[in-house]
Amino acid sequence: MKPLFLLLALAASVPHLLANEPLPSWKDTGPKKAILAFVEKVTKDGSADFVPVPERIAVFDNDGTLWAEQPLYFQAFFVFDRIKALAPQHPEWQTQEPFASVLKNDLKGVAAAGEKGLLATMAATHTGMTTEEFSQTVTDWITTAKHPKSGKLYTEMTYQPMLELLTYLRANGFKTFIVSGGGIEFMRPWTERVYGIPPEQVVGSSGKLKYEIRDGKPVLLKLPEVELIDDKEGKPAGIQSHIGRRPLMAFGNSDGDLQMLQWTTAGAGLRFALLVHHTDADREWAYDRQSHIGKLDKALDEASAKGWTVVSMKDDWATIYPGEN
């Protein structure tokens, strides 16, 4: 009876063991194995590759890496909604581009305005207010706004496998940072609730701030002047300015993340770089080299040449969004 008893006890323990398995939404394929193997090497006492806790820095792009980014970056939808909300105060926008195109939901017209038009919309919706006022505006929007295709809240379109990865890394002594081309003040109001990443660990594109006294109270006013574009070459600069340590691990999904992954892997000792490759047209989107959003071309080639890990969402993730099978 003893062998039977042991078998029954083992069988009863299997669900518990599976429940505690790291990265349950990742299929048991190469990327998951590479992550687990790397973390074991750098966190195991006595390992030749052991890294002290203070040096365990992991940086994550946001758009397309932690949450979806199609058909437009989600911050663009925020900008459009703000323009529509503010339009009654600006009758000139009915004929002034790119505002007129935004009000007509003409995305091609918005795109035709180029970078100058984009900066104009950002200035109209992101500046001339205090940081507290802007934070509240973002909070109100992110709590209720829904994606035009999926009908989900934008924060419901985060990637379950990446949420698990953030939790797993923190459980192993890593400090997790967002390093994104998105606006730093746009992300900070909600990243702690959604990702467990506090505002002081968010690096993003930023505008200049001005200290003022309003009604006897100190405030920081958002100015229509660029401080940092945290994309491409700006990402390593943002990392150095805000974090002050070269990351041990870096995660991205596009050519905009290439320099961040290069900077990370150029450090001494064992390093890890991963690209999320959008290959699942059924559950999400499939795009890479020709995409106008999240273009993945040069970085994909460099990943192949340098042996970086590439995740196929179709082949390597059992689940895409939280609450889905």
Side-chain angles (χ1 to χ4, degrees):
M1 294 298 293
K2 186 174 182 180
L4 178 59
F5 173 78
L6 291 175
L7 286 173
L8 290 173
L10 179 60
S13 70
V14 167
H16 173 72
L17 293 174
L18 291 177
N20 292 316
E21 180 187 0
L23 310 182
S25 293
W26 294 66
K27 295 182 181 179
D28 194 25
T29 52
K32 178 177 179 177
K33 292 176 181 178
I35 292 169
L36 298 179
F38 179 87
V39 171
E40 181 178 7
K41 287 179 182 179
V42 298
T43 61
K44 185 176 181 180
D45 286 330
S47 167
D49 299 305
F50 178 80
V51 175
V53 169
E55 298 176 23
R56 297 178 196 171
I57 302 296
V59 292
F60 291 79
D61 170 58
N62 185 47
D63 298 306
T65 301
L66 293 180
W67 71 356
E69 62 180 358
Q70 295 288 350
L72 292 171
Y73 298 120
F74 292 176
Q75 190 171 356
F77 288 117
F78 169 74
V79 170
F80 295 167
D81 285 350
R82 290 304 300 153
I83 288 173
K84 293 172 183 178
L86 295 169
Q89 304 170 35
H90 296 275
E92 72 277 11
W93 286 356
Q94 297 295 328
T95 57
Q96 179 183 344
E97 293 292 354
F99 301 97
S101 291
V102 171
L103 296 175
K104 292 183 290 187
N105 295 315
D106 178 8
L107 296 183
K108 289 184 178 180
V110 175
E115 184 177 348
K116 183 178 180 180
L118 173 63
L119 291 175
T121 63
M122 296 292 286
T125 58
H126 286 57
T127 66
M129 67 195 78
T130 68
T131 51
E132 288 87 353
E133 290 167 343
F134 183 73
S135 178
Q136 187 60 55
T137 299
V138 171
T139 300
D140 293 342
W141 181 83
I142 202 75
T143 302
T144 59
K146 294 183 178 181
H147 189 272
K149 179 180 178 181
S150 71
K152 295 175 178 283
L153 293 172
Y154 290 101
T155 51
E156 292 176 335
M157 296 183 69
T158 54
Y159 299 135
Q160 179 63 28
M162 299 305 282
L163 296 177
E164 293 169 2
L165 179 57
L166 289 168
T167 299
Y168 171 69
L169 291 178
R170 289 193 288 262
N172 282 277
F174 280 81
K175 183 175 285 190
T176 54
F177 290 81
I178 288 175
V179 180
S180 172
I184 191 169
E185 300 293 345
F186 172 76
M187 294 181 288
R188 281 176 167 172
W190 51 268
T191 57
E192 188 163 27
R193 173 176 63 85
V194 175
Y195 299 135
I197 297 178
E200 66 270 20
Q201 290 169 214
V202 174
V203 182
S205 297
S206 57
K208 293 184 179 181
L209 303 175
K210 180 183 179 182
Y211 177 85
E212 285 187 357
I213 300 293
R214 285 190 176 181
D215 300 322
K217 179 183 177 181
V219 298
L220 289 173
L221 185 67
K222 289 172 59 61
L223 302 178
E225 300 175 45
V226 175
E227 183 74 35
L228 170 68
I229 300 296
D230 193 53
D231 193 40
K232 299 180 179 179
E233 295 88 351
K235 289 201 172 190
I239 289 170
Q240 181 61 28
S241 297
H242 288 265
I243 303 174
R245 288 184 187 271
R246 193 189 300 255
L248 193 64
M249 305 181 79
F251 302 85
N253 77 293
S254 73
D255 285 0
D257 304 310
L258 174 58
Q259 290 81 359
M260 179 173 74
L261 272 62
Q262 290 173 330
W263 172 250
T264 297
T265 54
L270 200 63
R271 304 276 165 164
F272 187 91
L274 180 147
L275 285 169
V276 175
H277 191 184
H278 294 260
T279 56
D280 200 323
D282 293 328
R283 296 184 297 173
E284 206 239 9
W285 287 272
Y287 59 96
D288 45 42
R289 298 184 188 274
Q290 302 302 319
S291 180
H292 68 291
I293 297 292
K295 181 179 180 180
L296 178 60
D297 184 25
K298 294 180 180 179
L300 192 59
D301 291 338
E302 187 140 352
S304 177
K306 293 190 174 180
W308 296 345
T309 298
V310 178
V311 169
S312 165
M313 294 178 74
K314 181 177 181 180
D315 299 329
D316 299 318
W317 284 359
T319 299
I320 301 291
Y321 300 123
E324 296 183 350
N325 295 325

